[in-house]
Amino acid sequence: MSKAFVPTAAKPGVITANDLREGHNVWMCEDGWTADPARATLFEDEAIADLALLKAVGQSNLVVGPYLVEARRGPNGPEPTHFREAFRQRGPSNYFHGIQTVKQAVTQTEASNV
Amino acid sequence: MFDVRPVDTDYVRHRAAQFRAQVERRLDGSLTEDEFRPLRLMNGVYLQLHAYMLRIAIPYGTINPDQMRMLAHLAEAHDKGYGHWTTRQNIQFNWPKLVEIPDMLDKLASVGMHAIQTSGNTIRNVTTDAFAGAAADEYLDPRPYAELLRSWSTDHAEFQFLPRKFKIAITGAAKDRALVQAHDIGLRLIQKDGQTGFEVWVGGGLGRTPMLGKVIRDFLPEADLLAYIEAIISTYNLSGRRDNKYKARIKITVHERGLDVFKAEVEEEFANRRRDFHGADREALAIFKDRFAAPAFRNAPTDGYEAERAKNGAFRSWTDTNLHPHKVDGYASVIVTFKTHGETPGDASADQMRLLADLAEQYGHADLRVTHDQNVVLPHVHKSDLPAIYAALQKAGLAVANAGLTSDIIACPGMDYCALATARSIPIAQEIATHFKNNGLEDEIGKLNIRISGCINACGHHHLGHIGILGLDRAGVENYQITLGGDGYDIPAIGERAGAGFPYDQVVPAVDRLLRAYLEVRADASERFIDAYRRLGPAPFKAALYPEPAHA
């Protein structure tokens, strides 16, 4: 996979992992870890990303297997560039399970708050 | 040396308690992930693409109604209401939380089940013919031997850290439905000079280097089974490659060293090991033979079955495809396919599991089998009970008459679940099944074996499919190679790659062209796709897959 990925301004990246206790996918964000990939911190600098990855590795009480992977800037936050990461962000294609249900719940909550 | 474990349940409870403590130590920081990973894998716990996955052992695919009901309970209480039958006769749950897995293992232990050695470089679940003890073409029931191997290999101290995982399959029937040639060790029960024994195959396997096994012993007397298997595995344990994960399976050891060299080492080791077996294994085998004694079959008329066949076309169609010949007159084995068109191959809901448990209790001598092609078999059903079973299955959406047909596809979880996958398998299977249902060709095509893997590790056994589909990542895009001519059963063969791969949206059209070409060239409706392929060679099928572009 993309563990050797080096982010630049032209090819930024995000840090992602799995939640230790429950196993779901998480992304490093400003205030820790989030299950919403759109909130992920986008790294454009190798040194800063390396430091963040070291920090993530040090949080093994929270997450499993953190790695840095390419992403691109999207209108609503970072977006995946590879289909594997797209599936990780969406959930399986055969059932409406996984992260897509969380996203729907967030969207519904936001809609009801309008 | 082999000894019989008197109460397996005590052992699995103990192992579940061990794992609970290991999880607690991981959560409180006493264990790092590097330390914890081998411990969780020893208990069948993987970390997959979206979540943890728990693979539970179903030894040689045999499961009783109470155990099936427990799986249903786990699906509802700890997963998302379903489980997935695997190609090695196990079940996987795709969404358990690590913090709940100790509870799941405790519950499994209460019905004598566990997840031990469903992962790791150990001897994995021993698999066999799903119709064992029932098939009309069976010489001898392989399950007592499978149980002997299971009991001996569970927690076998010498074989907990093999160079790589190790898979054993055994069959006792004329037709090999256990794929013995595709296993690290394959065993065929045979008889020679009035004596029962085994033809022993070694070095088969699929994955990135697919190979069919070779016969290492033409005849191994029954009494020497464990000593000889132990000799093979201990020889491999020492000479198997540990420097390269991709060359660590026994098939590479046998291939690189040569069968003769490997066999000589095994035979020498066998002579030594044999002295350590003093009869406990044979005593255990006698116990297991009693345990697997045939149920009390009944002698009853089958008039009702015949009458229902005559008046109900759908029932007749289902009995034409989804029954397997039984050794006892008036009986049949029922194949319940988990391949409803458009559904995920091998997924069973909790309600469906409970229904199977009820049907097995009411009509099937409380016996159920999970098959390697991701279906479930009721091995012993009197034909007079088939109309009632069919009606019950129909209500649950499980009476699809497609066993052995185009939509009875074997598919690994692929990139919808698996962390190793390079492309998706499940939606390809769903779309193929739906396509050939909608165009009405499935019945006309007849017997066909399509198998799909989402990476070269080949959990979907694509090499053995008449049509094999392998999903790959080509420059960041899903791409699918098609192999032709594979066979796991009649004339075992590794499929040949047909040519360049297809993008995701071109797979179904390619398979459509392939099967329409088959319908054009087959001798008659009784000639299966694989038979036509063998008769004609790949040319007409490749031409269909890769048509010449039209020139202006």
Side-chain angles (χ1 to χ4, degrees):
Chain A
M1 261 309 293
S2 322
K3 293 191 183 184
F5 169 70
V6 177
T8 63
K11 277 192 171 186
V14 295
I15 291 174
T16 182
N18 288 81
D19 181 82
L20 168 65
R21 298 176 66 86
E22 300 197 358
H24 59 266
N25 296 332
V26 289
W27 287 263
M28 188 179 253
C29 62
E30 277 186 15
D31 51 353
W33 294 91
T34 175
D36 179 4
R39 289 188 56 223
T41 301
L42 200 63
F43 294 96
E44 302 181 350
D45 181 274
E46 179 182 359
I48 294 172
D50 281 349
L51 269 177
L53 190 56
L54 276 175
K55 184 181 171 190
V57 170
Q59 293 179 338
S60 67
N61 59 325
L62 297 175
V63 297
V64 185
Y67 62 96
L68 188 60
V69 66
E70 187 182 346
R72 62 174 163 253
R73 284 178 208 85
N76 301 311
E79 294 177 351
T81 59
H82 188 279
F83 63 88
R84 184 179 195 272
E85 289 304 313
F87 293 146
R88 285 185 78 245
Q89 293 197 9
R90 189 196 64 196
S93 47
N94 60 330
Y95 299 118
F96 190 68
H97 287 160
I99 284 186
Q100 52 203 336
T101 62
V102 178
K103 282 183 187 164
Q104 186 189 55
V106 169
T107 309
Q108 284 171 347
T109 305
E110 286 170 354
S112 65
N113 289 338
V114 172
Chain B
M1 200 181 78
F2 176 71
D3 192 12
V4 186
R5 266 178 219 291
V7 186
D8 270 338
T9 305
D10 291 347
Y11 170 69
V12 296
R13 281 184 200 280
H14 172 67
R15 280 289 299 261
Q18 268 187 345
F19 187 66
R20 180 179 293 280
Q22 289 160 358
V23 170
E24 284 168 5
R25 280 152 56 212
R26 173 68 181 95
L27 295 176
D28 73 15
S30 307
L31 289 175
T32 66
E33 184 61 21
D34 283 348
E35 290 166 332
F36 179 63
R37 186 185 307 112
L39 300 174
R40 68 168 159 77
L41 289 174
M42 282 171 155
N43 289 282
V45 182
Y46 288 73
L47 184 56
Q48 293 286 38
L49 200 66
H50 307 293
Y52 289 100
M53 179 270 277
L54 178 63
R55 182 181 296 149
I56 296 162
I58 301 178
Y60 34 93
T62 298
I63 183 168
N64 67 40
D66 287 342
Q67 292 171 327
M68 186 66 92
R69 290 190 186 102
M70 179 55 77
L71 296 180
H73 166 74
L74 294 183
E76 284 180 338
H78 301 284
D79 207 88
K80 295 189 185 298
Y82 73 100
H84 179 76
W85 310 125
T86 80
T87 53
R88 298 211 71 257
Q89 299 182 288
N90 289 320
I91 188 169
Q92 293 179 179
F93 286 111
N94 287 326
W95 300 96
K97 296 172 181 170
L98 178 63
V99 290
E100 294 184 14
I101 291 175
D103 290 343
M104 296 173 79
L105 294 183
D106 278 346
K107 291 175 181 179
L108 286 167
S110 72
V111 291
M113 295 182 83
H114 58 78
I116 299 163
Q117 289 179 210
T118 59
S119 175
N121 294 334
T122 57
I123 300 170
R124 303 287 189 90
N125 189 24
V126 177
T127 53
T128 192
D129 187 349
F131 306 108
D137 68 341
E138 184 174 274
Y139 155 62
L140 205 59
D141 187 347
R143 289 174 302 162
Y145 306 95
E147 173 59 15
L148 184 67
L149 288 163
R150 185 205 65 79
S151 183
W152 157 85
S153 64
T154 300
D155 215 23
H156 194 301
E158 187 181 345
F159 302 142
Q160 290 305 299
F161 295 95
L162 293 168
R164 201 70 181 90
K165 57 188 169 183
F166 203 93
K167 299 172 180 178
I168 302 174
I170 177 169
T171 182
K175 178 169 177 169
D176 173 17
R177 290 175 289 266
L179 314 174
V180 299
Q181 291 191 43
H183 282 76
D184 296 295
I185 291 178
L187 297 165
R188 295 196 74 154
L189 271 160
I190 54 173
Q191 196 166 36
K192 188 177 178 185
D193 303 328
Q195 201 188 359
T196 295
F198 303 90
E199 184 181 76
V200 184
W201 294 70
V202 70
L206 302 174
R208 68 178 59 214
T209 316
M211 291 184 187
L212 295 177
K214 300 173 175 73
V215 174
I216 189 169
R217 253 299 184 116
D218 291 328
F219 185 79
L220 177 73
E222 176 188 77
D224 288 329
L225 176 64
L226 290 190
Y228 196 77
I229 299 297
E230 201 166 281
I232 293 176
I233 301 177
S234 64
T235 302
Y236 160 65
N237 202 15
L238 292 178
S239 59
R241 289 181 58 171
R242 291 174 188 265
D243 62 317
N244 184 340
K245 180 182 176 183
Y246 303 120
K247 296 187 175 179
R249 295 290 291 269
I250 193 174
K251 61 188 172 189
I252 305 294
T253 313
V254 173
H255 180 70
E256 288 185 346
R257 296 173 71 80
L259 181 64
D260 290 344
V261 171
F262 187 77
K263 180 176 177 169
E265 291 172 348
V266 168
E267 292 292 340
E268 187 180 345
E269 186 64 22
F270 173 54
N272 295 329
R273 298 253 167 183
R274 201 179 185 198
R275 288 193 287 271
D276 293 334
F277 284 81
H278 301 293
D281 52 334
R282 275 164 278 166
E283 288 168 21
L285 182 62
I287 293 168
F288 299 149
K289 283 181 176 175
D290 283 346
R291 192 186 294 175
F292 290 104
F297 294 115
R298 70 182 199 265
N299 191 1
T302 58
D303 303 354
Y305 162 70
E306 298 296 349
E308 185 67 16
R309 261 179 66 86
K311 74 176 185 202
N312 182 344
F315 175 71
R316 185 168 62 249
S317 174
W318 178 75
T319 57
D320 283 344
T321 53
N322 288 39
L323 298 185
H324 191 267
H326 199 281
K327 59 172 68 173
V328 174
D329 279 348
Y331 274 78
S333 299
V334 174
I335 305 163
V336 181
T337 53
F338 283 80
K339 310 290 174 66
T340 301
H341 305 87
E343 299 292 331
T344 303
D347 275 9
S349 71
D351 285 344
Q352 290 172 332
M353 292 182 206
R354 289 196 185 93
L355 173 65
L356 289 173
D358 293 347
L359 292 176
E361 249 167 17
Q362 195 171 353
Y363 303 111
H365 299 277
D367 198 348
L368 290 156
R369 311 289 172 77
V370 177
T371 76
H372 83 273
D373 45 9
Q374 302 176 294
N375 294 319
V376 173
V377 160
L378 292 157
H380 309 296
V381 175
H382 194 270
K383 286 181 177 174
S384 62
D385 293 325
L386 286 170
I389 288 178
Y390 177 73
L393 290 173
Q394 222 176 5
K395 278 186 194 163
L398 285 175
V400 183
N402 64 347
L405 302 184
T406 304
S407 56
D408 191 3
I409 298 170
I410 297 177
C412 74
M415 203 183 268
D416 283 306
Y417 296 93
C418 179
L420 298 176
T422 44
R424 288 171 294 171
S425 303
I426 290 168
I428 295 282
Q430 291 172 307
E431 288 175 25
I432 290 173
T434 305
H435 176 82
F436 286 96
K437 183 189 183 194
N438 291 345
N439 70 12
L441 289 180
E442 181 165 30
D443 287 340
E444 197 178 341
I445 291 166
K447 294 288 182 186
L448 179 67
N449 192 214
I450 299 178
R451 301 180 179 214
I452 309 173
S453 300
C455 79
I456 53 174
N457 293 306
C459 292
H461 300 174
H462 64 278
H463 301 107
L464 299 180
H466 300 167
I467 299 171
I469 300 173
L470 167 62
L472 296 169
D473 174 352
R474 285 281 181 260
V477 179
E478 288 172 293
N479 189 272
Y480 294 84
Q481 285 180 2
I482 292 185
T483 54
L484 299 173
D487 189 4
Y489 306 119
D490 300 313
I491 308 172
I494 304 289
E496 298 282 338
R497 192 181 152 193
F502 296 89
Y504 180 92
D505 60 358
Q506 290 303 307
V507 176
V508 173
V511 175
D512 184 85
R513 291 196 299 278
L514 185 63
L515 291 175
R516 286 180 189 276
Y518 152 68
L519 292 174
E520 287 292 317
V521 301
R522 69 181 179 186
D524 57 48
S526 70
E527 188 179 50
R528 300 174 304 161
F529 174 87
I530 185 68
D531 300 325
Y533 181 86
R534 286 185 183 131
R535 179 172 60 83
L536 297 166
F541 304 100
K542 283 188 181 181
L545 281 175
Y546 306 100
E548 291 287 326
H551 295 286

